[in-house]
Coordinates of all heavy atoms in Angstrom, one line a residue:
S1 N -21.1 -26.0 3.6 CA -19.9 -26.5 4.1 C -19.0 -25.4 4.6 O -19.2 -24.2 4.2 CB -19.1 -27.3 3.1 OG -18.6 -26.5 2.1
F2 N -18.0 -25.7 5.4 CA -17.1 -24.7 6.0 C -16.4 -23.9 5.0 O -16.4 -22.6 5.1 CB -16.1 -25.4 7.0 CG -15.2 -24.4 7.6 CD1 -15.6 -23.5 8.6 CD2 -13.8 -24.4 7.3 CE1 -14.7 -22.6 9.2 CE2 -13.0 -23.5 7.8 CZ -13.4 -22.6 8.8
P3 N -15.7 -24.5 4.0 CA -15.0 -23.6 3.0 C -15.9 -22.7 2.3 O -15.6 -21.5 2.0 CB -14.4 -24.6 2.1 CG -14.2 -25.9 2.8 CD -15.4 -25.9 3.8
T4 N -17.1 -23.1 1.9 CA -18.1 -22.3 1.2 C -18.5 -21.1 2.1 O -18.6 -20.0 1.7 CB -19.3 -23.1 0.7 OG1 -18.8 -24.1 -0.1 CG2 -20.2 -22.2 0.0
R5 N -18.8 -21.4 3.3 CA -19.2 -20.4 4.3 C -18.1 -19.4 4.5 O -18.3 -18.2 4.5 CB -19.5 -21.1 5.6 CG -19.8 -20.1 6.8 CD -21.2 -19.5 6.7 NE -21.4 -18.7 7.9 CZ -22.1 -17.6 7.9 NH1 -22.7 -17.2 6.9 NH2 -22.2 -17.0 9.0
R6 N -16.9 -19.8 4.6 CA -15.7 -19.0 4.9 C -15.5 -18.0 3.7 O -15.3 -16.8 3.8 CB -14.5 -19.8 5.1 CG -13.3 -18.9 5.4 CD -12.1 -19.7 6.0 NE -11.0 -18.8 6.3 CZ -9.8 -18.9 5.8 NH1 -9.6 -19.9 5.0 NH2 -8.9 -18.0 6.1
S7 N -15.6 -18.5 2.4 CA -15.4 -17.7 1.3 C -16.5 -16.7 1.1 O -16.3 -15.5 0.7 CB -15.2 -18.5 0.0 OG -16.4 -19.3 -0.3
S8 N -17.7 -17.1 1.5 CA -18.8 -16.1 1.4 C -18.7 -15.0 2.5 O -19.0 -13.9 2.3 CB -20.2 -16.8 1.5 OG -20.4 -17.3 2.8
D9 N -18.1 -15.4 3.7 CA -17.9 -14.4 4.7 C -16.8 -13.4 4.3 O -16.9 -12.2 4.5 CB -17.4 -15.1 6.0 CG -18.5 -15.8 6.7 OD1 -19.7 -15.6 6.4 OD2 -18.2 -16.6 7.6
L10 N -15.7 -13.9 3.6 CA -14.7 -13.1 3.2 C -15.2 -12.1 2.1 O -14.8 -10.9 2.0 CB -13.5 -13.9 2.6 CG -12.7 -14.6 3.7 CD1 -11.6 -15.5 3.0 CD2 -12.0 -13.6 4.7
Y11 N -16.0 -12.6 1.2 CA -16.6 -11.8 0.1 C -17.5 -10.7 0.7 O -17.4 -9.6 0.4 CB -17.4 -12.7 -0.8 CG -18.1 -11.9 -1.9 CD1 -17.4 -11.4 -3.0 CD2 -19.4 -11.7 -1.9 CE1 -18.0 -10.6 -4.0 CE2 -20.1 -10.9 -2.8 CZ -19.3 -10.4 -3.9 OH -20.0 -9.7 -4.9
H12 N -18.3 -11.1 1.7 CA -19.1 -10.1 2.4 C -18.3 -9.1 3.1 O -18.6 -7.9 3.0 CB -20.0 -10.8 3.4 CG -20.9 -9.9 4.1 ND1 -22.0 -9.3 3.5 CD2 -20.9 -9.5 5.4 CE1 -22.6 -8.5 4.4 NE2 -22.0 -8.6 5.6
F13 N -17.3 -9.5 3.8 CA -16.4 -8.5 4.5 C -15.8 -7.6 3.4 O -15.8 -6.3 3.7 CB -15.2 -9.3 5.2 CG -14.1 -8.3 5.6 CD1 -14.3 -7.5 6.7 CD2 -13.0 -8.2 4.9 CE1 -13.3 -6.6 7.1 CE2 -12.0 -7.4 5.3 CZ -12.1 -6.6 6.4
A14 N -15.3 -8.1 2.3 CA -14.6 -7.2 1.3 C -15.7 -6.2 0.8 O -15.3 -5.0 0.5 CB -14.1 -8.1 0.2
R15 N -16.9 -6.7 0.5 CA -17.9 -5.7 0.0 C -18.2 -4.7 1.0 O -18.4 -3.5 0.7 CB -19.2 -6.5 -0.3 CG -19.1 -7.2 -1.6 CD -20.4 -7.9 -2.0 NE -21.3 -8.0 -0.9 CZ -22.6 -7.9 -1.0 NH1 -23.2 -7.7 -2.1 NH2 -23.4 -8.1 0.1
M16 N -18.4 -5.1 2.3 CA -18.7 -4.1 3.3 C -17.5 -3.1 3.6 O -17.7 -1.9 3.8 CB -19.1 -4.8 4.6 CG -20.3 -5.7 4.5 SD -21.8 -4.8 3.9 CE -22.1 -3.6 5.2
F17 N -16.3 -3.6 3.5 CA -15.2 -2.8 3.7 C -15.1 -1.8 2.6 O -14.9 -0.6 2.9 CB -13.9 -3.7 3.7 CG -12.7 -3.0 4.1 CD1 -12.2 -3.0 5.4 CD2 -11.9 -2.3 3.1 CE1 -11.1 -2.3 5.8 CE2 -10.8 -1.6 3.5 CZ -10.3 -1.6 4.8
K18 N -15.3 -2.2 1.4 CA -15.3 -1.2 0.3 C -16.4 -0.2 0.4 O -16.2 1.0 0.1 CB -15.4 -2.0 -1.1 CG -15.2 -1.0 -2.2 CD -15.0 -1.8 -3.5 CE -14.7 -0.7 -4.6 NZ -14.3 -1.4 -5.9
H19 N -17.6 -0.7 0.8 CA -18.7 0.3 1.0 C -18.3 1.3 2.1 O -18.6 2.5 1.9 CB -19.9 -0.5 1.4 CG -21.1 0.4 1.7 ND1 -21.8 1.0 0.7 CD2 -21.7 0.8 2.8 CE1 -22.8 1.7 1.2 NE2 -22.7 1.6 2.5
A20 N -17.6 0.9 3.1 CA -17.3 1.8 4.2 C -16.1 2.8 3.9 O -16.1 3.9 4.3 CB -17.0 1.0 5.5
T21 N -15.2 2.3 3.1 CA -13.9 3.0 2.9 C -13.8 3.6 1.5 O -13.0 4.4 1.2 CB -12.7 2.2 3.2 OG1 -12.6 1.1 2.3 CG2 -12.7 1.6 4.6
G22 N -14.5 3.0 0.6 CA -14.4 3.3 -0.8 C -13.3 2.6 -1.5 O -13.0 2.8 -2.7
L23 N -12.6 1.7 -0.8 CA -11.5 0.9 -1.4 C -11.6 -0.5 -1.0 O -12.1 -0.8 0.1 CB -10.1 1.4 -0.9 CG -9.7 2.9 -1.2 CD1 -8.5 3.3 -0.4 CD2 -9.5 3.0 -2.7
A24 N -11.1 -1.4 -1.9 CA -11.0 -2.8 -1.5 C -10.0 -3.0 -0.4 O -9.1 -2.1 -0.3 CB -10.7 -3.6 -2.7
P25 N -10.0 -4.0 0.4 CA -9.1 -4.1 1.5 C -7.6 -4.1 1.0 O -6.8 -3.4 1.6 CB -9.4 -5.5 2.1 CG -10.8 -5.7 1.8 CD -11.1 -5.1 0.5
H26 N -7.3 -4.7 -0.1 CA -5.9 -4.7 -0.6 C -5.5 -3.3 -1.0 O -4.4 -2.8 -0.7 CB -5.7 -5.7 -1.8 CG -4.4 -5.6 -2.4 ND1 -3.3 -6.2 -1.7 CD2 -3.9 -5.1 -3.5 CE1 -2.2 -6.0 -2.5 NE2 -2.5 -5.3 -3.5
Q27 N -6.4 -2.6 -1.7 CA -6.1 -1.2 -2.1 C -5.9 -0.3 -0.8 O -5.0 0.6 -0.9 CB -7.3 -0.6 -2.9 CG -7.5 -1.3 -4.2 CD -8.8 -0.9 -4.9 OE1 -9.8 -0.8 -4.2 NE2 -8.7 -0.6 -6.2
F28 N -6.7 -0.5 0.2 CA -6.6 0.3 1.4 C -5.2 0.1 2.1 O -4.6 1.0 2.4 CB -7.7 -0.1 2.4 CG -7.8 0.7 3.6 CD1 -8.5 1.9 3.7 CD2 -7.1 0.2 4.8 CE1 -8.5 2.6 4.9 CE2 -7.1 1.0 5.9 CZ -7.8 2.2 6.0
V29 N -4.8 -1.2 2.2 CA -3.5 -1.5 2.8 C -2.4 -0.9 1.9 O -1.4 -0.3 2.4 CB -3.4 -3.0 3.0 CG1 -2.0 -3.4 3.4 CG2 -4.4 -3.5 4.0
M30 N -2.5 -1.1 0.6 CA -1.5 -0.6 -0.3 C -1.3 0.9 -0.2 O -0.2 1.5 -0.1 CB -1.7 -1.0 -1.8 CG -0.7 -0.6 -2.7 SD 1.0 -1.3 -2.4 CE 0.6 -3.0 -2.7
R31 N -2.4 1.6 -0.1 CA -2.4 3.1 0.0 C -1.7 3.5 1.3 O -0.9 4.4 1.3 CB -3.8 3.7 -0.1 CG -3.8 5.2 0.0 CD -5.1 5.8 -0.2 NE -5.9 5.5 1.0 CZ -7.1 6.0 1.2 NH1 -7.7 6.8 0.3 NH2 -7.8 5.8 2.3
A32 N -2.1 2.8 2.4 CA -1.4 3.1 3.7 C 0.1 2.8 3.6 O 0.9 3.6 4.2 CB -2.1 2.3 4.8
R33 N 0.5 1.7 3.0 CA 1.9 1.4 2.9 C 2.6 2.5 2.1 O 3.7 2.9 2.5 CB 2.1 0.0 2.3 CG 1.7 -1.1 3.3 CD 1.5 -2.4 2.6 NE 2.7 -2.9 2.0 CZ 2.7 -3.8 1.0 NH1 1.6 -4.4 0.7 NH2 3.8 -4.2 0.5
L34 N 2.0 2.9 1.0 CA 2.7 3.9 0.1 C 2.7 5.3 0.8 O 3.7 6.0 0.7 CB 1.9 4.0 -1.2 CG 2.1 2.9 -2.1 CD1 1.1 2.9 -3.3 CD2 3.5 2.8 -2.7
Q35 N 1.7 5.6 1.6 CA 1.7 6.9 2.3 C 2.8 6.9 3.4 O 3.5 7.9 3.6 CB 0.3 7.2 2.9 CG -0.7 7.5 1.9 CD -2.1 7.6 2.5 OE1 -2.4 7.0 3.6 NE2 -3.0 8.3 1.8
R36 N 2.9 5.8 4.1 CA 4.0 5.7 5.1 C 5.4 5.8 4.4 O 6.2 6.5 4.9 CB 3.9 4.4 5.8 CG 5.0 4.2 6.9 CD 4.8 2.9 7.7 NE 5.9 2.8 8.6 CZ 6.7 1.8 8.8 NH1 6.4 0.7 8.0 NH2 7.6 1.7 9.6
A37 N 5.5 5.1 3.3 CA 6.8 5.2 2.6 C 7.1 6.6 2.1 O 8.2 7.1 2.2 CB 6.8 4.3 1.4
E38 N 6.1 7.3 1.6 CA 6.3 8.7 1.2 C 6.8 9.6 2.4 O 7.7 10.4 2.2 CB 5.0 9.3 0.6 CG 5.2 10.7 0.1 CD 4.0 11.3 -0.5 OE1 2.9 10.8 -0.3 OE2 4.1 12.4 -1.1
R39 N 6.1 9.4 3.5 CA 6.6 10.2 4.7 C 8.0 9.9 5.1 O 8.8 10.8 5.4 CB 5.7 9.9 5.9 CG 4.3 10.6 5.9 CD 3.6 10.5 7.2 NE 3.4 9.1 7.7 CZ 2.5 8.3 7.4 NH1 1.5 8.7 6.5 NH2 2.4 7.1 7.8
L40 N 8.4 8.6 5.0 CA 9.7 8.2 5.3 C 10.7 8.8 4.3 O 11.8 9.2 4.7 CB 9.9 6.7 5.4 CG 9.2 6.1 6.7 CD1 9.2 4.5 6.5 CD2 9.9 6.5 7.9
L41 N 10.4 8.8 3.1 CA 11.2 9.3 2.0 C 11.5 10.8 2.3 O 12.6 11.3 2.1 CB 10.6 9.1 0.6 CG 10.6 7.7 0.1 CD1 9.7 7.6 -1.1 CD2 12.0 7.3 -0.3
R42 N 10.4 11.5 2.7 CA 10.5 13.0 2.9 C 11.3 13.3 4.2 O 11.9 14.4 4.3 CB 9.2 13.6 2.9 CG 8.5 13.6 1.6 CD 7.2 14.4 1.6 NE 6.4 14.2 0.4 CZ 6.7 14.8 -0.8 NH1 7.7 15.5 -0.9 NH2 5.9 14.5 -1.8
H43 N 11.1 12.5 5.2 CA 11.5 12.9 6.6 C 12.6 12.0 7.2 O 12.8 12.2 8.4 CB 10.3 13.0 7.5 CG 9.2 13.9 7.0 ND1 9.4 15.3 6.9 CD2 8.0 13.7 6.5 CE1 8.3 15.9 6.4 NE2 7.5 14.9 6.1
S44 N 13.1 11.1 6.5 CA 14.2 10.3 7.1 C 15.3 10.2 6.1 O 15.2 10.5 4.9 CB 13.7 8.9 7.4 OG 13.6 8.1 6.3
Q45 N 16.4 9.7 6.5 CA 17.6 9.4 5.7 C 17.8 7.9 5.4 O 18.8 7.5 4.8 CB 18.8 10.0 6.3 CG 18.8 11.5 6.5 CD 18.6 12.2 5.2 OE1 19.2 11.9 4.2 NE2 17.7 13.2 5.1
Q46 N 16.8 7.1 5.7 CA 16.9 5.7 5.5 C 17.0 5.4 4.0 O 16.4 6.1 3.2 CB 15.6 4.9 5.9 CG 15.5 4.7 7.4 CD 14.2 4.0 7.7 OE1 13.1 4.5 7.7 NE2 14.3 2.7 7.8
P47 N 17.8 4.5 3.6 CA 17.9 4.1 2.2 C 16.6 3.6 1.7 O 15.7 3.1 2.4 CB 18.9 2.9 2.2 CG 19.7 3.1 3.4 CD 18.8 3.7 4.4
I48 N 16.3 3.9 0.4 CA 15.0 3.5 -0.2 C 14.7 2.0 -0.1 O 13.6 1.7 0.2 CB 15.0 4.0 -1.7 CG1 15.0 5.5 -1.8 CG2 13.8 3.4 -2.4 CD1 15.1 6.1 -3.1
T49 N 15.7 1.2 -0.2 CA 15.5 -0.3 0.0 C 15.0 -0.6 1.4 O 14.1 -1.4 1.6 CB 16.8 -1.1 -0.3 OG1 17.2 -0.8 -1.6 CG2 16.6 -2.5 -0.1
E50 N 15.6 0.1 2.4 CA 15.1 -0.1 3.8 C 13.7 0.3 4.0 O 12.9 -0.3 4.7 CB 16.1 0.5 4.8 CG 17.4 -0.2 5.0 CD 18.2 0.5 6.0 OE1 17.7 1.2 6.9 OE2 19.5 0.3 6.0
I51 N 13.4 1.5 3.4 CA 12.0 2.0 3.5 C 11.0 1.0 2.8 O 10.0 0.7 3.4 CB 11.9 3.4 2.8 CG1 12.7 4.4 3.7 CG2 10.5 3.8 2.6 CD1 12.8 5.8 3.1
A52 N 11.4 0.5 1.7 CA 10.6 -0.4 1.0 C 10.3 -1.7 1.8 O 9.1 -2.1 2.0 CB 11.2 -0.9 -0.4
L53 N 11.3 -2.2 2.4 CA 11.1 -3.4 3.2 C 10.4 -3.1 4.5 O 9.5 -3.9 4.9 CB 12.5 -4.0 3.5 CG 13.3 -4.6 2.3 CD1 14.7 -5.0 2.7 CD2 12.5 -5.6 1.6
A54 N 10.6 -1.9 5.1 CA 10.0 -1.6 6.4 C 8.5 -1.3 6.1 O 7.7 -1.5 7.0 CB 10.6 -0.3 6.9
C55 N 8.1 -1.0 4.9 CA 6.7 -0.7 4.6 C 6.0 -2.0 4.0 O 4.9 -1.9 3.5 CB 6.6 0.4 3.6 SG 7.1 2.0 4.4
G56 N 6.7 -3.1 4.0 CA 6.0 -4.4 3.6 C 6.2 -4.8 2.2 O 5.5 -5.7 1.8
F57 N 7.0 -4.1 1.4 CA 7.2 -4.5 0.0 C 8.3 -5.6 0.0 O 9.2 -5.6 0.8 CB 7.6 -3.3 -0.8 CG 6.5 -2.3 -0.9 CD1 6.3 -1.3 0.0 CD2 5.5 -2.4 -1.9 CE1 5.3 -0.4 -0.1 CE2 4.5 -1.6 -2.0 CZ 4.4 -0.5 -1.1
S58 N 8.2 -6.5 -1.0 CA 9.1 -7.6 -1.1 C 10.5 -7.2 -1.6 O 11.5 -7.9 -1.4 CB 8.5 -8.7 -1.9 OG 8.3 -8.2 -3.2
S59 N 10.6 -6.1 -2.3 CA 11.8 -5.6 -2.9 C 11.7 -4.1 -3.2 O 10.6 -3.6 -3.3 CB 12.2 -6.3 -4.1 OG 11.3 -6.0 -5.2
A60 N 12.9 -3.5 -3.4 CA 12.9 -2.1 -3.8 C 12.2 -1.9 -5.1 O 11.6 -0.9 -5.4 CB 14.3 -1.5 -3.7
S61 N 12.4 -2.9 -6.0 CA 11.9 -2.8 -7.3 C 10.3 -2.8 -7.3 O 9.7 -2.0 -8.0 CB 12.4 -3.9 -8.2 OG 11.8 -4.0 -9.4
H62 N 9.8 -3.7 -6.5 CA 8.3 -3.8 -6.4 C 7.8 -2.5 -5.8 O 6.8 -2.0 -6.3 CB 8.0 -5.0 -5.5 CG 6.5 -5.2 -5.3 ND1 6.0 -5.3 -4.0 CD2 5.5 -5.2 -6.1 CE1 4.7 -5.4 -4.1 NE2 4.3 -5.4 -5.4
F63 N 8.5 -2.0 -4.8 CA 8.1 -0.7 -4.2 C 8.1 0.4 -5.2 O 7.1 1.2 -5.3 CB 9.0 -0.4 -3.0 CG 8.9 1.0 -2.5 CD1 7.7 1.5 -2.0 CD2 10.0 1.8 -2.6 CE1 7.6 2.8 -1.6 CE2 9.9 3.1 -2.2 CZ 8.7 3.7 -1.7
S64 N 9.2 0.5 -5.9 CA 9.3 1.6 -6.9 C 8.3 1.5 -8.0 O 7.7 2.6 -8.3 CB 10.7 1.5 -7.5 OG 10.9 2.6 -8.4
N65 N 8.0 0.3 -8.5 CA 6.9 0.2 -9.5 C 5.5 0.6 -8.9 O 4.8 1.3 -9.6 CB 6.9 -1.2 -10.0 CG 8.1 -1.6 -10.8 OD1 8.7 -0.7 -11.4 ND2 8.4 -2.9 -10.9
R66 N 5.2 0.2 -7.7 CA 3.9 0.5 -7.1 C 3.8 2.0 -6.8 O 2.8 2.6 -7.0 CB 3.7 -0.3 -5.9 CG 3.5 -1.8 -6.1 CD 2.4 -2.2 -7.0 NE 1.1 -1.7 -6.6 CZ 0.1 -2.5 -6.5 NH1 0.1 -3.8 -6.8 NH2 -1.0 -2.0 -6.0
F67 N 4.9 2.6 -6.3 CA 5.0 4.0 -6.0 C 4.8 4.8 -7.2 O 4.0 5.8 -7.2 CB 6.3 4.3 -5.3 CG 6.4 5.7 -4.7 CD1 6.1 5.8 -3.4 CD2 6.7 6.8 -5.4 CE1 6.1 7.1 -2.8 CE2 6.8 8.1 -4.9 CZ 6.5 8.2 -3.5
K68 N 5.5 4.5 -8.3 CA 5.4 5.3 -9.5 C 4.0 5.1 -10.1 O 3.4 6.1 -10.6 CB 6.4 4.8 -10.5 CG 6.5 5.7 -11.7 CD 7.7 5.4 -12.6 CE 7.8 6.5 -13.7 NZ 9.0 6.3 -14.5
A69 N 3.4 4.0 -10.1 CA 2.0 3.8 -10.6 C 1.0 4.6 -9.8 O 0.1 5.2 -10.3 CB 1.6 2.3 -10.5
A70 N 1.2 4.8 -8.5 CA 0.3 5.5 -7.6 C 0.5 7.0 -7.7 O -0.5 7.8 -7.7 CB 0.5 5.0 -6.2
Y71 N 1.8 7.5 -7.8 CA 2.0 8.9 -7.7 C 2.5 9.5 -9.0 O 2.5 10.7 -9.1 CB 3.1 9.1 -6.6 CG 2.7 8.9 -5.2 CD1 3.1 7.7 -4.5 CD2 1.8 9.7 -4.5 CE1 2.6 7.4 -3.2 CE2 1.4 9.5 -3.2 CZ 1.8 8.3 -2.6 OH 1.4 8.1 -1.3
G72 N 2.9 8.7 -9.9 CA 3.3 9.3 -11.2 C 4.8 9.7 -11.3 O 5.2 10.3 -12.3
F73 N 5.5 9.4 -10.2 CA 7.0 9.7 -10.2 C 7.7 8.7 -9.3 O 7.0 8.1 -8.5 CB 7.3 11.1 -9.8 CG 6.5 11.6 -8.6 CD1 7.0 11.4 -7.3 CD2 5.3 12.3 -8.7 CE1 6.3 11.8 -6.2 CE2 4.6 12.7 -7.6 CZ 5.1 12.5 -6.3
A74 N 9.0 8.6 -9.4 CA 9.7 7.6 -8.7 C 10.0 8.0 -7.3 O 10.1 9.2 -7.0 CB 11.0 7.3 -9.4
P75 N 10.2 7.1 -6.4 CA 10.6 7.4 -5.0 C 11.8 8.3 -4.9 O 11.9 9.2 -4.0 CB 10.8 6.0 -4.3 CG 10.1 5.0 -5.2 CD 10.1 5.6 -6.5
L76 N 12.8 8.1 -5.7 CA 14.0 8.9 -5.7 C 13.7 10.4 -5.9 O 14.3 11.2 -5.3 CB 15.0 8.4 -6.7 CG 16.3 9.1 -6.7 CD1 17.0 9.0 -5.4 CD2 17.2 8.6 -7.8
Q77 N 12.7 10.7 -6.7 CA 12.3 12.1 -6.9 C 11.8 12.7 -5.6 O 12.0 13.9 -5.4 CB 11.3 12.2 -8.1 CG 11.9 11.8 -9.4 CD 10.8 11.8 -10.5 OE1 10.0 10.9 -10.6 NE2 10.8 12.9 -11.3
V78 N 11.1 12.0 -4.8 CA 10.6 12.5 -3.5 C 11.8 12.7 -2.7 O 11.9 13.8 -2.0 CB 9.7 11.5 -2.8 CG1 9.3 11.9 -1.4 CG2 8.4 11.3 -3.7
R79 N 12.7 11.8 -2.6 CA 13.9 11.9 -1.8 C 14.7 13.2 -2.2 O 15.3 13.9 -1.4 CB 14.8 10.7 -2.0 CG 16.1 10.6 -1.3 CD 16.1 10.9 0.2 NE 15.3 10.1 1.1 CZ 15.6 9.0 1.6 NH1 16.7 8.3 1.3 NH2 14.8 8.4 2.4
L80 N 14.7 13.5 -3.5 CA 15.5 14.6 -4.0 C 14.7 15.9 -3.9 O 15.2 17.0 -4.4 CB 15.9 14.4 -5.5 CG 16.8 13.2 -5.7 CD1 17.1 13.0 -7.2 CD2 18.2 13.4 -4.9
G81 N 13.5 15.9 -3.3 CA 12.8 17.1 -3.0 C 11.7 17.5 -4.0 O 11.3 18.6 -4.0
R82 N 11.2 16.5 -4.7 CA 10.1 16.8 -5.6 C 8.9 17.2 -4.8 O 8.5 16.8 -3.8 CB 9.7 15.6 -6.5 CG 8.6 15.9 -7.4 CD 8.3 14.7 -8.3 NE 7.7 15.1 -9.5 CZ 6.4 15.3 -9.7 NH1 5.6 15.3 -8.8 NH2 5.9 15.7 -10.9

């Protein structure tokens, strides 16, 4: 049936994507969003909340939690020159 075919296609895509990149699609996108945010923190004067929203996070809090989990320090520390 169509739903079963679609879910198996998505599963296959995710497996092939991970094989090619080393990351699951969600991890790949999250890493790209965090890298963009880090560049903006270092090279712009935009407020952290604006950076979070511009990079696709639903809130500054969500962004801060994900950033700290990935890098081991808070976005504010990057802004302050860490």
Side-chain angles (χ1 to χ4, degrees):
S1 74
F2 178 71
T4 303
R5 171 79 175 148
R6 183 166 179 239
S7 63
S8 68
D9 288 347
L10 290 173
Y11 178 74
H12 179 71
F13 168 77
R15 283 186 340 147
M16 296 307 294
F17 189 93
K18 186 168 185 171
H19 179 73
T21 66
L23 298 169
H26 178 76
Q27 293 170 319
F28 184 88
V29 170
M30 183 60 65
R31 183 175 72 173
R33 290 164 58 197
L34 289 168
Q35 289 172 340
R36 178 174 179 233
E38 183 183 12
R39 281 192 307 275
L40 290 171
L41 287 166
R42 292 187 191 283
H43 303 293
S44 81
Q45 296 302 314
Q46 284 182 279
I48 292 174
T49 299
E50 285 183 22
I51 290 172
L53 297 175
C55 292
F57 293 91
S58 59
S59 68
S61 174
H62 180 231
F63 165 62
S64 184
N65 290 335
R66 295 303 299 233
F67 192 93
K68 190 168 185 178
Y71 292 104
F73 46 86
L76 184 59
Q77 290 176 287
V78 173
R79 174 55 55 84
L80 297 175
R82 182 178 204 280

